[in-house]
């Protein structure tokens, strides 16, 4: 983003959205919070946030009590994330890393259980799932929340394939434009009634993946 003419972290779509509405991606946020709220109380797993931007999901998880690995390619995003973590008394829970998710990034070793892996990396989804493959194959990741962006390319299809091979099923999260108040049911329960059909993905949307 730093090399994109006119881009400004403080005046991007995310920053304007949070300032105007006090939240970001209401459905995705509600689903993520439901997933975090239902984590097994006896052993708190970690959260991985690929494409963390300035830390919306990372800080929600940290404030909920999770340790977070947050990765973003833009150095300014990481600086703002670290500042946000300090402002929210969450600095000790967030490990922020500036770097690209690409073929050079080594897989994360399978170890602690990952409650949620959030992936929003604009056509590098396959690289992200590749780094998580050891934990995916061992069933150590409970949920994957991934943005699918066909306008950026088809890498997300390979990522969905990786998840399927590891035994994960995808479900479509209601679109960003849907009114969260239109559904009285639990947002996670609503999402799990909407199976993902990759043939119908013709615009940007988010999907949740989990094992049966």
């Amino acid at each position: 983003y730093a090399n994109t003419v006119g881009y400004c972290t403080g005046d991007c779509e995310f920053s304007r959205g949070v300032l105007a509405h006090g939240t970001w991606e209401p459905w995705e946020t509600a689903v993520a919070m439901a997933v975090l709220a239902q984590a097994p109380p006896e052993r708190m797993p970690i959260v991985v946030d690929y494409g963390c931007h300035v830390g919306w999901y990372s800080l929600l998880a940290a404030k909920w009590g999770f340790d977070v690995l947050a990765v973003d390619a833009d150095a300014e995003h990481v600086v703002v994330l670290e500042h946000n973590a300090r402002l929210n008394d969450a600095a000790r829970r967030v490990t922020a890393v500036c770097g690209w998710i690409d073929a050079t990034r080594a897989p994360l070793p399978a170890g602690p259980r990952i409650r949620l892996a959030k992936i929003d990396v604009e056509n590098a989804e396959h690289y992200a799932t590749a780094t998580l493959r050891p934990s995916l194959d061992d069933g150590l990741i409970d949920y994957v929340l991934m943005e699918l962006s066909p306008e950026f390319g088809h890498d997300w299809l390979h990522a969905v394939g990786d998840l399927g091979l590891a035994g994960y099923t995808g479900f479509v999260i209601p679109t960003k434009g849907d009114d969260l108040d239109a559904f009285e049911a639990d947002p996670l329960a609503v999402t799990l009634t909407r199976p993902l059909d990759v043939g119908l993905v013709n615009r940007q949307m988010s999907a949740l993946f989990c094992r049966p």
Side-chain angles (χ1 to χ4, degrees):
Y1 292 119
N3 296 321
T4 302
V5 176
Y7 176 78
C8 172
T9 299
D11 190 33
C12 65
E13 181 182 5
F14 166 82
S15 297
R16 290 193 300 269
V18 171
L19 286 171
H21 306 293
T23 189
W24 176 246
E25 298 182 337
W27 263 106
E28 287 88 338
T29 295
V31 169
M33 292 301 290
V35 164
L36 298 179
Q38 296 176 14
E42 67 276 6
R43 183 164 59 90
M44 187 67 78
I46 68 170
V47 169
V48 174
D49 188 356
Y50 281 160
C52 61
H53 200 261
V54 298
W56 178 257
Y57 290 98
S58 293
L59 293 182
L60 289 176
K63 295 289 282 186
W64 204 264
F66 292 85
D67 290 331
V68 181
L69 171 63
V71 182
D72 200 274
D74 191 295
E76 185 179 8
H77 289 173
V78 173
V79 170
V80 176
L81 165 59
E82 292 175 332
H83 181 63
N84 283 338
R86 289 191 295 271
L87 288 176
N88 285 275
D89 296 322
R92 68 183 179 87
R93 293 208 173 272
V94 178
T95 300
V97 177
C98 182
W100 289 95
I101 303 296
D102 57 21
T104 67
R105 183 163 290 279
L108 294 178
R113 175 168 293 279
I114 298 172
R115 180 58 176 175
L116 176 66
K118 192 225 82 185
I119 301 172
D120 184 354
V121 288
E122 318 295 25
N123 202 37
E125 296 84 5
H126 180 41
Y127 297 129
T129 52
T131 70
L132 298 171
R133 196 64 190 265
S135 294
L136 289 169
D137 288 343
D138 289 345
L140 293 175
I141 302 179
D142 295 332
Y143 292 91
V144 177
L145 172 59
M146 185 165 67
E147 185 178 78
L148 314 179
S149 300
E151 60 266 43
F152 291 124
H154 302 290
D155 196 73
W156 63 273
L157 279 170
H158 299 292
V160 172
D162 284 346
L163 291 165
L165 289 173
Y168 289 76
T169 300
F171 301 89
V172 177
I173 297 176
T175 65
K176 295 178 175 63
D178 283 349
D179 184 0
L180 190 62
D181 295 331
F183 298 94
E184 295 183 1
D186 171 65
L188 178 57
V190 171
T191 297
L192 295 177
T193 65
R194 299 161 55 97
L196 173 66
D197 182 344
V198 295
L200 298 180
V201 179
N202 55 14
R203 55 177 174 77
Q204 190 177 77
M205 63 177 61
S206 296
L208 185 72
F209 296 83
C210 59
R211 287 191 169 197

